[in-house]
């Protein structure tokens, strides 16, 4: 007997769309570009040759269209790993659950998801304007720890090495290390993106070592992060979503990765607030390579 997903677990709107994204199964392409800013969906879709549908609900803005013969969905997710939990799970239901019977489809449909984001660079070789591909992501948010099977999709030795190096306080909750799809990294990053580890933070200020009026628990946090090295690779950047994306995608049988443009370098204290004028270069690379 197939499992039937209850209405309280699989929430379907009256128009046959998923609860938060308001997308119907037929509106989702196999190739998905994810962006944080709902406004950036229009920036991506401006490159499409044709538009098929557009849906907006809260911070979730979606456009599906065609680019050079490829059907692509561009989906905004807002800020934070908690939003990725919503977006990745609902995209998976659209692909792999029959909304009529509320049962899993017989044949698994694999999505290819590439997140285009912005980030803070942490190394001297990641100045503002650099493109960073997240090979592995260290999640400060704890999201993946709520899912069975997290150990099977995480790099456990790297987790332990990182906790030792950071003298990690258990009061913060256990960090996890999710792994991006290696073949997808090669496909998208090629030879013009920096490859490295990424930290996905549970906030923009304290979790990223920014101290304004509220003091932070570990004033040396960023120095420790910058000096961490494992298997010949360093932590290149801070952002807020890649760990949940690659972790959930792996658990659900999808391909996913994150590539970001550095808009601030914490090492050199540089900041580019006019990044919206230059991120289009990264968007075009991803569209051509996905």
């Amino acid at each position: 007997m197939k499992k039937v997903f209850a209405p309280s677990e699989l929430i379907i709107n009256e128009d046959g769309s998923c609860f938060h994204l308001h997308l119907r199964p037929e509106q989702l392409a196999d190739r998905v570009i994810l962006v944080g800013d709902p406004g950036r969906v229009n920036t991506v879709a401006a490159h499409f040759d044709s538009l098929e549908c557009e849906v907006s609900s809260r911070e979730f803005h979606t456009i599906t269209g065609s680019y050079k013969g490829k059907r692509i969905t561009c989906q905004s997710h807002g800020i934070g790993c908690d939003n990725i939990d919503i977006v990745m799970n609902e995209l998976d239901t659209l692909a792999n659950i029959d909304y009529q019977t509320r049962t899993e489809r017989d044949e698994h449909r694999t999505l290819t998801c590439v997140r285009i984001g912005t980030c803070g660079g942490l190394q001297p070789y990641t100045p503002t304007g650099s493109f960073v591909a997240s090979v592995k992501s260290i999640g400060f948010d704890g999201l993946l720890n709520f899912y069975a099977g997290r150990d099977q999709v995480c790099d456990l030795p790297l987790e332990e090495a990182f906790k030792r190096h950071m003298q990690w306080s258990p009061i913060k909750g256990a960090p996890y290390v999710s792994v991006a799809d290696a073949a997808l990294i090669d496909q998208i990053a090629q030879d013009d993106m920096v490859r490295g580890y990424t930290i996905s933070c549970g906030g923009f200020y304290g979790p990223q070592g920014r101290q304004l009026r509220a003091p932070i628990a570990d004033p040396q946090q960023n120095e420790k992060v910058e000096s961490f090295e494992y298997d010949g690779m360093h932590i290149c950047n801070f952002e807020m979503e890649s760990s949940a994306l690659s972790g959930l995608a792996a658990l659900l049988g999808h391909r996913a990765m994150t590539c970001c443009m550095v808009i601030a370098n914490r090492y050199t204290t540089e900041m580019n607030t006019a990044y919206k004028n230059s991120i289009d270069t990264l968007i075009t690379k991803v569209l051509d390579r996905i």
Side-chain angles (χ1 to χ4, degrees):
M1 290 286 292
K2 284 187 175 183
K3 176 182 177 180
V4 177
F5 298 95
S8 60
E9 309 305 297
L10 173 63
I11 307 170
I12 301 174
N13 299 317
E14 290 184 0
D15 63 355
S17 64
C18 56
F19 186 53
H20 294 92
L21 305 185
H22 279 258
L23 281 182
R24 297 191 304 275
E26 67 272 14
Q27 296 174 313
L28 175 65
D30 290 341
R31 295 178 176 92
V32 182
I33 291 178
L34 296 163
V35 294
D37 183 356
R40 196 173 297 152
V41 173
N42 293 104
T43 304
V44 175
H47 295 275
F48 288 179
D49 302 314
S50 62
L51 303 183
E52 182 182 313
C53 65
E54 181 172 7
V55 179
S56 289
S57 175
R58 305 186 191 186
E59 62 265 57
F60 307 115
H61 181 198
T62 314
I63 295 178
T64 295
S66 178
Y67 176 81
K68 295 183 178 179
K70 297 180 288 191
R71 187 173 184 245
I72 297 174
T73 293
C74 185
Q75 171 72 61
S76 69
H77 52 69
I79 298 175
C81 285
D82 50 345
N83 274 14
I84 295 294
D85 185 61
I86 291 172
V87 171
M88 202 64 228
N89 273 292
E90 292 195 5
L91 291 179
D92 179 70
T93 68
L94 292 168
N96 289 302
I97 294 179
D98 185 324
Y99 275 28
Q100 300 300 315
T101 63
R102 293 182 167 274
T103 60
E104 191 171 348
R105 297 184 186 276
D106 293 330
E107 186 174 337
H108 182 271
R109 178 183 172 193
T110 301
L111 302 176
T112 296
C113 303
V114 178
R115 184 178 109 72
I116 300 173
T118 56
C119 68
L122 295 170
Q123 300 296 337
Y125 54 83
T126 56
T128 56
S130 303
F131 300 150
V132 177
S134 304
V135 175
K136 296 181 182 180
S137 300
I138 303 168
F140 280 7
D141 56 289
L143 177 73
L144 216 64
N145 298 330
F146 288 87
Y147 288 91
R150 61 83 80 200
D151 285 1
Q152 285 67 54
V153 299
C154 288
D155 187 327
L156 302 183
L158 199 161
E159 285 181 14
E160 292 306 313
F162 179 76
K163 286 189 287 186
R164 286 194 302 270
H165 177 83
M166 296 293 293
Q167 299 174 301
W168 191 262
S169 170
I171 199 171
K172 295 178 180 177
Y176 62 92
V177 179
S178 60
V179 182
D181 184 277
L184 187 58
I185 288 280
D186 287 340
Q187 177 182 333
I188 301 296
Q190 296 189 14
D191 59 358
D192 54 8
M193 296 186 191
V194 177
R195 304 186 190 200
Y197 302 140
T198 291
I199 289 181
S200 296
C201 297
F204 184 77
Y205 291 97
Q208 294 190 29
R210 287 187 175 91
Q211 183 167 298
L212 299 178
R213 292 190 61 249
I216 58 175
D218 183 0
Q220 281 75 50
Q221 172 188 289
N222 284 15
E223 294 175 16
K224 295 176 188 175
V225 166
E226 290 162 8
S227 65
F228 178 72
E229 181 180 356
Y230 183 86
D231 201 21
M233 199 170 286
H234 293 88
I235 296 170
C236 290
N237 59 328
F238 277 147
E239 54 84 81
M240 296 178 67
E241 293 89 16
S242 66
S243 60
L245 174 62
S246 54
L248 280 174
L251 284 174
L252 294 167
H254 303 294
R255 308 168 69 223
M257 65 161 288
T258 292
C259 53
C260 289
M261 185 177 78
V262 176
I263 63 170
N265 187 285
R266 308 296 297 283
Y267 184 86
T268 61
T269 68
E270 298 172 326
M271 177 68 197
N272 174 21
T273 56
Y275 67 88
K276 291 184 179 179
N277 298 326
S278 51
I279 198 170
D280 203 56
T281 303
L282 179 57
I283 290 170
T284 303
K285 284 183 187 292
V286 173
L287 283 170
D288 285 335
R289 297 171 182 178
I290 193 171

